[in-house]
Structures are given as structure tokens and as C-alpha cells.
Amino acid sequence: MFGIGSAAVFSLTGKYRTSKRPVRHFVRFFKLHFLFLNIFLFRLFRACGSTPTSHKNKDHHYTDVHGLPCIEKIVASVDETPEAISTKISGTIPEWISGNFLRNGPGKFEIGNNKFNHWFDGMALLHQFKIAGGQVTYKSRFLGSDCYTANSENSRIVVSEFGTVAMPDPCKNFFQRFLSRFELPKASDNDNVSFVTYKGNYYVSTETNFMHKVDPETLETKEKVDWSKFIAVNGATAHPHTDPDGTTYNMGNSYSAKGAIYNIIRVPPTKTTPENPEETLEGATVVCSIPSVDKARPSYYHSFAMSENYVVFIEQPIKMDLLKIVTGKLRGKGISDGVYWDPKLETIFHLINKQAGKLYSVKYHAKALSTFHQINAWEENGFLVMDLCAADDGKAINNYMVQNMRKSGEALDEVYNTMCRVFPRRFVLPLNVDMETPCGQNLNTRPDSTATATKTAKDKVFCTHEDLHDEELHKYGGLEFPQINYAKYNTKPYRYFYGCGFRHLVGDTLIKMDLQGKRMKVDSVILILPSLLNTL
């Protein structure tokens, strides 16, 4: 999770006061800031007993594609369209389709003379496609976040984002600008990832501790909501899961001098005070807390899996170097500089019982993989079946720099060819593992699956996956952004799912997958529109 600044034990902010002895005051403030920073970092890394190391890997070519079209308009700033406009329809929209199709993503990549570095950094632009009577109208509006307002008022980037560091205020004197580099990073409220719902209200979200309640009809920003005001977490994913009764589950990290902790969050389905229309996250609780295997370098996660009775947290080898992150401003580096892939580590699946709030003692391991989105998970005949989109490499997140997406010709081809493809996979986790379970034999007895699960030690099962596709999917660059009929099949056995093919840096085809026979159908080509595609 990004945005750990609000979790820091010490606040390193301070106001420089003018004095007849500026050098003395400068030295005093410098010593104080440096002392606090060292105390925090010493306590943080004493918990893990080691210091961060450099992780550099040579680029590996996964494909040999040439002649990709330039997609620089994807990261072009656009104006908002707050008043609905009509659209031109190609084909026919069935009359029974009616409602609002809401999307969220970055829409502004420059503030004054400052430019954002990463695709994930652009200012949130909310989109609405209103579908009725076979017609579609469109409107958009920039999210009225604090960072958007501050950036606009100052005509420069004031709040740091994932790949961009806000530079010190040029109006401050030298000492003030210097000291500001020792401040810990503050969480951004630039909620540019997705629309989510809690207790019937619509929010836009990112991966910090801030969300914004919005009006789905007007796209107006209504209220800023801070997770940390309700529970002890410093953020939440932008992809929660919802039970049939409306209870919502999510995950968020917390940080202290003892290291990083992953938390399972539960939000009740209805308002605790029905007569209070302004209620937001009241009643939210932490169901279970999981200590990070590496307390100073926790895993990054974008989402999680959920079955009827379990939350599945995937601790993957995409790591966050907390030392680099908390010192990013001092070094002039964004959070992205502290995110790295460590292929020497295994992936660990943690199971948490939703009702009891207990972490299952058995840990399921797999080879190093990266996953951003899960497809579905369900329990059947003593197994938990989990389908997800995964890759054998986790460095792609840092490839989506704006400069890469604006490349053309061979330079663009090189970026694409060095990115590992993502494919749908299935893991089968046996739920009845105990002291009597034999080691060294495949525990997956499901005749319809080639996935394996082998007990290798007490409370440890090593798993291999089954591919949910045939060779044809390779022609379309793999598959990401999976979707199912969530209301009907989430946490249940299912047959179909949809996703985007990736013959480019971004999705360019819509694919329907049929798990019976692992067949696929390419329904259409997705038109690439500026700033309309959702971020990861």
C-alpha cells in the first residue's frame, strides 16, 4: 500500500523561524530532524535485523514484437466535461441496458511547468456514460481532492505521488527548502483508481488512507473520508470484496517502529445510525492482522481473493523498501523508487477465516509470481479454488513511466518486449491439512484440475498452478483486468470471465474466456481514448 507517511511514529515537520543567528537555528533544526529520522529508522530496521540491499536485474525480453503504434495520447492531459454531451453510437445498444457506467483514471499530467512522472500520478478524472433508450451521453469531472486544489492554486505539483516528488516551495528561503526535504512523505488523496461502494454510498479510491464520497449522477465531490479516523490502518486497496448481505471486506497496512502489518478490514452493510445520512465508515473493524515476513520490506498488494468463508491474502515478492520510501523526499525520489521485485522469494497465500477472524496456521507457498487482480475464489469438497491473473515477473509496475508511454518506434517496442505477460491461472488449496497429512504427495484430488498442492513441512504446502488458457491467448498478449458476473457468481463456481488482451502496453482487445475447454472469444477491439483507461 502506498502512502505510509501518516503512519510514521515521529512528525518531522517544523517551521523555520527567522533569527539574527540563522546559521545557529539551521544547525539546531537540522540536528533535530536528523536525530528523529535516525531514531525512527533505527527502531524500524532493528525489528528485522538487516538493512536494505540493491535489487537490480538485467532486462529480459519476453516477446519480439515490432511496429507498435504510439499511444502518447493515453497520457495527454484533457479538459473536464461537466455538462453531458451526446455520443455517436455505432451498432445498436439493447433497450434493456439502462444506467450509469462509471470510470475513473488519471486525466491531467502537467501542473504549470511541472510534469508527473508515472501513469498512476495523474490527477483523478471521473467519467460517466449514461445509457438509456439505446443512447449514451457522456460527462466528466476532475475530483475535487485537496491535492488537486493545492496543485491548481499553486500552479505546480505540491503533493508527491507514486512516481513524482513534489519539489520545495520556491517562495521559501534556502533553509526552509532544505529542511522540507527531511519531512516524511504525506499520503495523497488523488483517488484515481476506481469507484467503490460502502453502505450504499459511492466513493472513488486509491491506495492511501483517503477516499472521496462522490455523487454518481453529477460526479461532484462530496466528502473526503480518512480510513485512519475509524480503524488503525494507513490505507486500503481500491478493490474491496462484498458478501451477498452487503458486508464489505478490504485490506490495509499499518506501520510502526515494530514493522509493517497487513490488516483485514470489515465494513458493515448498512449504516449504524440510519437517521444519519452523512455516515461513512462507522462500524469498520479490523478482523485480523498479519505480520509481514520482512518487517521493513512488506509486500505490495493491489487486491486480494475472497471465498464464502475465507479472505486470501497473497504476500508476493513485489516488495516495498520502507527506508527508501521514508527517505524519498530527501533523495528526490518517488515511492516507486522503493518498490522492487525479488524473484528469490516465494509467494505465500495466507487464509483468514472471515467469521472467526483467525489466521489459518497452514501457509501455502508457490514460486515467485506477481498478481494485481484475482478472478474468483470458492470452496468445494474440502478445497479452496482460487483463480487469478499472474505473471512470473513483477517489475512491470515501474515500466509505466509517462516517458515510456510516450515513446514510439523501436524504443516503444523495447519497453513492451521487456514486460512479462500476464495469464489466468488456478491454484487449488486443500483446507484439511493437519499433522496426519502425509508429506510428498499431491493433495489435490480434483479430477478436473492439473494444479498441485504438496505438503513439504509442518504447516507448509507448496502449490503449482493450472493454466486457464490455451496457446491462442499468447497471440493476444495475455489477459488482465478480469471480470465475472459478480453479483451471481462471486465466491461460487463459474464458467465465464472477461478480460483485456494486451498486445500493447495497455489493453487493446476484449476477450471472453470459457473455462469449459479453456476456449476464448475475442469480441471486439477496444478503442484507445485519451485518459479514459482506468489505472491498475
Side-chain angles (χ1 to χ4, degrees):
M1 305 294 292
F2 304 131
I4 68 168
S6 58
V9 177
F10 301 103
S11 173
L12 303 188
T13 58
K15 185 176 181 181
Y16 177 81
R17 298 179 181 177
T18 58
S19 169
K20 295 180 180 179
R21 299 179 178 84
V23 175
R24 180 183 302 172
H25 280 273
F26 163 70
V27 173
R28 183 179 302 164
F29 275 103
F30 176 82
K31 287 182 177 179
L32 182 62
H33 282 69
F34 190 75
L35 174 63
F36 280 174
L37 183 62
N38 274 276
I39 291 173
F40 173 74
L41 296 177
F42 172 75
R43 293 185 66 187
L44 180 66
F45 287 101
R46 184 176 63 179
C48 71
S50 62
T51 56
T53 56
S54 176
H55 298 269
K56 295 183 179 180
N57 295 296
K58 292 183 179 180
D59 289 335
H60 174 77
H61 286 70
Y62 295 94
T63 51
D64 188 28
V65 174
H66 299 280
L68 290 175
C70 182
I71 57 168
E72 62 180 349
K73 289 185 178 181
I74 286 285
V75 285
S77 295
V78 296
D79 295 325
E80 63 181 5
T81 308
E83 299 299 326
I85 60 174
S86 58
T87 63
K88 182 179 179 180
I89 306 299
S90 176
T92 303
I93 298 177
E95 291 289 334
W96 55 266
I97 297 180
S98 179
N100 292 334
F101 177 49
L102 304 174
R103 300 300 284 164
N104 184 9
K108 190 175 184 64
F109 296 90
E110 299 86 20
I111 307 292
N113 294 324
N114 295 172
K115 297 181 179 180
F116 289 113
N117 296 326
H118 200 281
W119 191 22
F120 301 171
D121 298 346
M123 294 289 94
L125 182 63
L126 316 184
H127 309 265
Q128 179 207 81
F129 297 85
K130 182 178 285 293
I131 307 171
Q135 300 298 314
V136 180
T137 60
Y138 168 79
K139 69 171 62 172
S140 65
R141 191 185 295 269
F142 280 107
L143 177 68
S145 61
D146 289 349
C147 62
Y148 178 79
T149 301
N151 289 344
S152 300
E153 290 177 349
N154 290 274
S155 295
R156 65 183 183 89
I157 297 174
V158 176
V159 181
S160 296
E161 299 291 345
F162 174 67
T164 306
V165 179
M167 291 295 101
D169 187 347
C171 296
K172 291 183 177 180
N173 63 41
F174 170 78
F175 296 127
Q176 289 173 319
R177 293 199 303 272
F178 182 79
L179 291 176
S180 69
R181 288 186 175 272
F182 290 86
E183 297 173 0
L184 289 174
K186 297 179 180 178
S188 170
D189 67 339
N190 180 31
D191 296 319
N192 64 1
V193 178
S194 66
F195 275 85
V196 296
T197 58
Y198 292 97
K199 302 180 183 180
N201 293 322
Y202 285 81
Y203 297 85
V204 286
S205 177
T206 181
E207 297 184 332
T208 68
N209 50 306
F210 298 117
M211 298 191 300
H212 284 87
K213 185 188 290 187
V214 297
D215 187 326
E217 288 296 331
T218 65
L219 301 182
E220 292 178 337
T221 305
K222 294 298 184 182
E223 181 182 0
K224 179 179 176 179
V225 179
D226 184 348
W227 277 98
S228 65
K229 300 294 184 184
F230 301 92
I231 50 177
V233 298
N234 298 100
T237 80
H239 296 295
H241 276 293
T242 305
D243 274 340
D245 68 350
T247 301
T248 305
Y249 291 85
N250 208 331
M251 286 196 62
N253 282 8
S254 56
Y255 304 88
S256 72
K258 295 181 179 180
I261 295 175
Y262 314 111
N263 301 284
I264 310 300
I265 305 165
R266 179 165 54 211
V267 179
T270 57
K271 292 180 171 60
T272 57
T273 309
E275 62 273 13
N276 179 14
E278 303 303 317
E279 181 174 312
T280 56
L281 298 175
E282 284 82 355
T285 57
V286 172
V287 175
C288 181
S289 296
I290 308 165
S292 171
V293 170
D294 187 333
K295 298 185 184 303
R297 289 176 289 277
S299 292
Y300 167 74
Y301 56 93
H302 184 71
S303 57
F304 58 98
M306 188 179 81
S307 66
E308 180 181 359
N309 295 296
Y310 295 94
V311 165
V312 184
F313 166 54
I314 304 170
E315 193 168 14
Q316 60 187 347
I318 301 179
K319 308 295 287 184
M320 298 189 298
D321 188 325
L322 297 186
L323 177 60
K324 283 189 173 182
I325 292 175
V326 300
T327 61
K329 193 169 185 180
L330 175 64
R331 298 180 299 107
K333 299 290 186 178
I335 294 173
S336 60
D337 183 63
V339 180
Y340 65 93
W341 167 249
D342 189 347
K344 299 186 301 297
L345 301 177
E346 291 182 346
T347 303
I348 306 175
F349 305 136
H350 300 271
L351 270 60
I352 300 91
N353 187 291
K354 291 156 59 176
Q355 284 69 41
K358 295 184 64 175
L359 177 65
Y360 191 31
S361 61
V362 176
K363 299 294 184 288
Y364 302 88
H365 290 240
K367 70 176 185 178
L369 62 83
S370 66
T371 177
F372 285 85
H373 303 102
Q374 290 70 56
I375 306 170
N376 198 5
W378 72 95
E379 301 153 43
E380 189 174 45
N381 299 326
F383 295 95
L384 189 151
V385 183
M386 177 174 61
D387 296 347
L388 47 78
C389 291
D392 294 324
D393 178 279
K395 293 182 288 186
I397 191 171
N398 283 327
N399 284 357
Y400 283 96
M401 305 299 290
V402 171
Q403 64 181 15
N404 284 341
M405 301 186 71
R406 287 177 174 164
K407 289 180 177 179
S408 60
E410 293 183 359
L412 177 60
D413 296 341
E414 176 72 8
V415 174
Y416 178 80
N417 288 326
T418 55
M419 292 175 62
C420 189
R421 307 274 73 82
V422 178
F423 291 95
R425 299 174 177 176
R426 171 168 294 175
F427 287 91
V428 178
L429 313 181
L431 295 174
N432 301 314
V433 179
D434 55 27
M435 294 293 293
E436 304 301 319
T437 303
C439 292
Q441 68 181 50
N442 183 14
L443 303 178
N444 178 18
T445 56
R446 293 174 61 92
D448 61 343
S449 175
T450 59
T452 69
T454 305
K455 182 180 177 182
T456 58
K458 178 185 177 182
D459 293 337
K460 180 178 179 180
V461 174
F462 190 84
C463 303
T464 65
H465 69 269
E466 171 192 357
D467 290 328
L468 295 181
H469 63 92
D470 59 19
E471 285 300 312
E472 185 181 6
L473 187 57
H474 287 267
K475 296 190 302 184
Y476 294 92
L479 182 147
E480 250 288 15
F481 302 118
Q483 295 289 328
I484 62 171
N485 184 339
Y486 193 91
K488 187 173 182 180
Y489 291 107
N490 185 48
T491 74
K492 299 179 178 66
Y494 70 112
R495 178 176 174 178
Y496 302 105
F497 69 94
Y498 298 82
C500 292
F502 271 72
R503 296 179 298 182
H504 210 302
L505 296 182
V506 296
D508 72 332
T509 49
L510 179 61
I511 297 174
K512 178 180 181 180
M513 297 295 297
D514 183 350
L515 294 178
Q516 287 189 11
K518 300 178 181 179
R519 295 169 296 180
M520 58 179 285
K521 179 182 179 182
V522 181
D523 287 333
S524 62
V525 176
I526 298 176
L527 297 178
I528 298 175
L529 303 178
S531 304
L532 191 56
L533 294 181
N534 192 11
T535 61
L536 287 178

